[in-house]
Amino acid sequence: LKVTRAEGMTLYEVALPLKDLYPLQLKAGEKFGFAPMINDDDGDYRKRAFTLTPQGTEPSNRPDLLPTVILAP
């Protein structure tokens, strides 16, 4: 995880080992569901979370709601 802050913006970069994405193949046209969840947690509890799934759902509970990513060439 790399966090960069500049000009009032925060950029989070995450690298995932390819072996951890199995059976996903990183090739043009490959489709998969993807919904990261970002938590606001100061260590004692999660105050709120941001995700790409509908409000009131968590990605791990409803994989049918994951937005679809299609890899470009």
Side-chain angles (χ1 to χ4, degrees), residues 5-62:
R5 292 184 177 92
E7 299 178 22
M9 296 184 66
T10 304
L11 174 66
Y12 297 90
E13 296 179 72
V14 178
L16 302 172
L18 186 56
K19 66 178 182 63
D20 291 346
L21 300 176
Y22 180 83
L24 178 65
Q25 296 180 25
L26 298 180
K27 62 181 182 180
E30 185 77 10
K31 297 178 185 179
F32 58 95
F34 183 73
M37 177 177 264
I38 301 167
N39 292 306
D40 179 2
D41 183 346
D42 295 324
D44 50 350
Y45 66 97
R46 181 173 73 191
K47 296 176 188 173
R48 61 189 151 262
F50 171 78
T51 184
L52 299 176
T53 57
Q55 185 174 357
T57 64
E58 293 198 15
S60 61
N61 296 339
R62 294 292 309 272

